[in-house]
């Protein structure tokens, strides 16, 4: 922790690069944890930045020991960044919810700089605690760098908890690297599989970003529909040959209903705005939608379509992603996007392909006719 109280109950902060004199003063008097009131000691060695730690190990509700250098430095950096223009309190205790955000900005924004892994439940509970207390939760990721594979980024279940949504940037994710004093913004996040995403990436030095952060929109399309179809083929092959094969609930439904997963109509498995809401590949939920509903009722309403997908979620065939930080878009918004496309391309008029060659030709024509329509609705 970077803030403790002295014997008179006054807060003593080490956030602003404490000088020798302050270090000396702190060393020569007693300090206490602002949460559990147990004694804390100053740790000011050569490696970590100066901070307080409990003198004896015991269960403290608000502070777990072993705060990393990365967390301490990141928290101090952000404190210095925000206080240039706004009121900010470090490690402020919120008694109503027994929570202590890393930073409390203008008494309204609870900022968490999260470096270590935590459970989904804990993340959701803390977020809900802030919301119930009238605060806006703002989580910034500080863990190990997001891994890049070819042109795709790997976002785990834990990473995805930090996802935010805005009409300008689509799904976005913000991380901060204290070693380089740099924010990294991943926006326009588009999944090609449950944890692999296309992204537009910007690096912004801490000192050049205002608070609240405002980012410039990056332009340029980085994904084409042919890329997408290639990725989809690759995904299908992987499921069939390396994973559960025919025991895969999606593949078994496809075969049982007399279809071939590689010869499905091209509108089954297209990229759709908001598709990150469903963890499964779009070919899965779009097939269920088509097979369970649209094949009999092409003009179905979005509510009927939502009921179909909810039923598949209940059966365990589909899984929704958990996004605690936003409430729009919803599953219904995703379905409306899909139905709009489905109905505007007159999707029911084509027969299924008989051969791979015929399928390739069909996807080529589909790309020619609908790439613009699909991609302009996908990327913001
Ligand atoms: Zn304590």
């Amino acid at each position: 922790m970077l803030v403790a109280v002295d014997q008179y109950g006054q807060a003593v902060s080490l956030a602003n690069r404490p000088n020798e004199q302050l270090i000396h003063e702190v060393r020569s008097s007693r300090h206490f944890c602002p949460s559990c009131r147990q004694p804390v000691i100053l740790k000011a060695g050569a490696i970590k930045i100066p901070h307080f730690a409990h003198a004896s190990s015991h269960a403290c509700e608000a502070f777990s020991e072993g705060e990393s250098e990365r967390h301490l430095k990141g928290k101090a950096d952000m404190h210095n960044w925000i206080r240039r223009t706004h009121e900010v309190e470090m490690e402020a205790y919120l008694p109503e919810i027994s929570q202590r955000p890393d930073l409390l900005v203008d008494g309204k924004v609870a900022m968490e700089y999260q470096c270590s892994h935590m459970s989904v439940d804990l993340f959701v509970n803390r977020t809900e605690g802030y919301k119930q207390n009238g605060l806006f939760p703002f989580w910034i990721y500080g863990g190990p760098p997001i891994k890049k594979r070819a042109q795709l980024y790997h976002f785990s279940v834990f990473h995805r908890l930090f996802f935010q949504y805005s009409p300008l940037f689509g799904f976005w994710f913000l991380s901060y690297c204290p070693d380089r004093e740099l924010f990294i913004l991943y926006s326009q996040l588009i999944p090609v599989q449950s944890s692999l995403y296309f992204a537009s990436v910007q690096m912004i030095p801490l000192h050049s970003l205002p608070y609240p952060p405002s980012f410039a929109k990056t332009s340029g399309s980085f994904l084409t529909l042919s890329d997408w179809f290639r990725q989809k083929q690759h995904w299908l092959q992987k499921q069939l040959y390396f994973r559960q094969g025919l025991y895969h609930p999606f593949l078994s439904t496809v075969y049982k209903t007399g279809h071939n997963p590689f010869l499905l109509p091209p509108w089954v498995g297209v990229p759709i705005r908001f598709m990150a809401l469903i963890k499964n590949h779009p070919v899965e939920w779009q097939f269920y939608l088509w097979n369970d509903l649209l094949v009999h009722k092409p003009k179905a309403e979005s509510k009927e379509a939502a009921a179909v997908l909810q039923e598949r979620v209940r059966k365990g065939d589909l899984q929704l992603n958990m996004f605690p930080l936003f409430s729009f878009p919803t599953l219904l918004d995703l379905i409306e996007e899909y139905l709009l496309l489905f109905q505007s391309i007159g999707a029911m008029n084509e027969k299924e392909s008989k051969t791979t060659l015929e399928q390739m030709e069909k996807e080529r024509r589909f790309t020619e006719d609908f790439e613009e329509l699909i991609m302009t609705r996908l990327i913001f």
Side-chain angles (χ1 to χ4, degrees), residues 137-333:
F138 185 20
W139 291 81
I140 296 173
Y141 174 79
I146 299 301
K147 289 201 182 98
K148 192 178 181 192
R149 233 189 274 163
Q151 47 177 347
L152 299 170
Y153 294 88
H154 186 267
F155 289 94
S156 66
V157 173
F158 174 62
H159 294 141
R160 298 203 293 270
L161 293 170
F162 293 78
F163 276 22
Q164 308 244 30
Y165 176 83
S166 83
L168 198 58
F169 295 103
F171 294 95
W172 57 274
F173 173 97
L174 186 62
S175 74
Y176 177 70
C177 172
D179 302 336
R180 298 192 286 164
E181 301 193 355
L182 209 61
F183 282 102
I184 307 171
L185 174 71
Y186 301 80
S187 61
Q188 311 282 1
L189 288 164
I190 296 172
V192 296
Q193 311 176 13
S194 60
S195 54
L196 282 180
Y197 284 73
F198 272 100
S200 166
V201 182
Q202 291 178 66
M203 310 225 181
I204 309 117
L206 177 73
H207 63 81
S208 69
L209 191 70
Y211 180 89
S214 66
F215 304 102
K217 191 173 176 324
T218 49
S219 57
S221 92
F222 45 91
L223 169 68
T224 66
L225 199 52
S226 341
D227 285 343
W228 173 266
F229 281 132
R230 250 197 314 279
Q231 292 282 349
K232 176 175 127 183
Q233 286 292 331
H234 181 67
W235 182 84
L236 282 169
Q237 270 155 12
K238 216 165 84 179
Q239 305 315 304
L240 195 57
Y241 297 113
F242 301 113
R243 298 257 175 99
Q244 311 104 314
L246 299 180
Y247 299 103
H248 192 293
F250 159 71
L251 291 176
S252 77
T253 316
V254 170
Y255 286 115
K256 270 187 211 151
T257 51
H259 298 284
N260 177 328
F262 295 95
L263 303 179
L264 293 171
W267 64 79
V268 176
V270 284
I272 294 289
R273 182 177 285 196
F274 312 144
M275 66 187 171
L277 294 173
I278 300 180
K279 198 170 154 190
N280 304 67
H281 195 284
V283 75
E284 296 182 71
W285 61 265
Q286 290 171 23
F287 177 78
Y288 293 136
L289 213 50
W290 180 57
N291 182 67
D292 302 356
L293 178 71
L294 298 174
V295 78
H296 322 288
K297 200 173 177 189
K299 296 228 161 102
E301 307 255 324
S302 46
K303 280 193 180 136
E304 295 169 88
V308 164
L309 293 192
Q310 292 290 8
E311 177 59 16
R312 289 285 180 178
V313 169
R314 200 191 55 75
K315 282 161 91 178
D317 296 343
L318 293 176
Q319 274 183 291
L320 302 179
N321 266 321
M322 171 82 101
F323 294 127
L325 301 183
F326 59 85
S327 49
F328 171 85
T330 63
L331 186 63
L332 203 59
D333 298 305

Side-chain angles (χ1 to χ4, degrees), residues 33 35-36 54 58 60 63:
C33 170
S35 181
C36 66
H54 289 92
H58 70 288
C60 172
F63 291 104

Side-chain angles (χ1 to χ4, degrees), residues 12-199:
V12 175
S13 170
L14 302 174
N16 305 316
R17 300 193 179 109
N19 56 24
E20 288 292 321
Q21 193 196 341
L22 178 63
I23 296 282
H24 180 74
E25 281 171 21
V26 169
R27 265 202 213 288
S28 52
S29 54
R30 280 157 63 77
H31 290 82
F32 305 89
C33 170
S35 181
C36 66
R37 306 280 152 183
Q38 294 295 308
V40 293
I41 48 171
L42 175 71
K43 295 210 165 171
I47 301 164
K48 274 195 182 183
I49 63 172
H51 64 282
F52 295 106
H54 289 92
S56 61
S57 63
H58 70 288
C60 172
E61 194 179 303
F63 291 104
S64 55
E65 292 308 344
E67 250 184 307
S68 64
E69 165 73 6
R70 193 176 169 84
H71 184 241
L72 290 164
K73 165 87 165 59
K75 197 157 66 166
D77 282 359
M78 276 181 222
H79 182 263
N80 288 319
W81 168 53
I82 296 168
R83 77 190 181 103
R84 296 183 307 191
T85 52
H86 287 69
E87 285 290 317
V88 56
E89 194 181 341
M90 180 166 281
E91 298 165 359
Y93 186 60
L94 309 170
E96 298 87 346
I97 49 173
S98 308
Q99 281 175 241
R100 188 180 295 276
D102 287 330
L103 298 168
L104 182 66
V105 187
D106 294 334
K108 298 190 290 220
V109 176
M111 192 183 268
E112 290 279 11
Y113 177 58
Q114 189 64 33
C115 296
S116 54
H117 191 276
M118 71 199 290
S119 72
V120 173
D121 285 349
L122 188 56
F123 190 104
V124 171
N125 289 343
R126 279 205 199 158
T127 300
E128 287 307 311
Y130 294 140
K131 284 188 192 161
Q132 280 158 23
N133 215 31
L135 296 169
F136 179 82
F138 185 20
W139 291 81
I140 296 173
Y141 174 79
I146 299 301
K147 289 201 182 98
K148 192 178 181 192
R149 233 189 274 163
Q151 47 177 347
L152 299 170
Y153 294 88
H154 186 267
F155 289 94
S156 66
V157 173
F158 174 62
H159 294 141
R160 298 203 293 270
L161 293 170
F162 293 78
F163 276 22
Q164 308 244 30
Y165 176 83
S166 83
L168 198 58
F169 295 103
F171 294 95
W172 57 274
F173 173 97
L174 186 62
S175 74
Y176 177 70
C177 172
D179 302 336
R180 298 192 286 164
E181 301 193 355
L182 209 61
F183 282 102
I184 307 171
L185 174 71
Y186 301 80
S187 61
Q188 311 282 1
L189 288 164
I190 296 172
V192 296
Q193 311 176 13
S194 60
S195 54
L196 282 180
Y197 284 73
F198 272 100

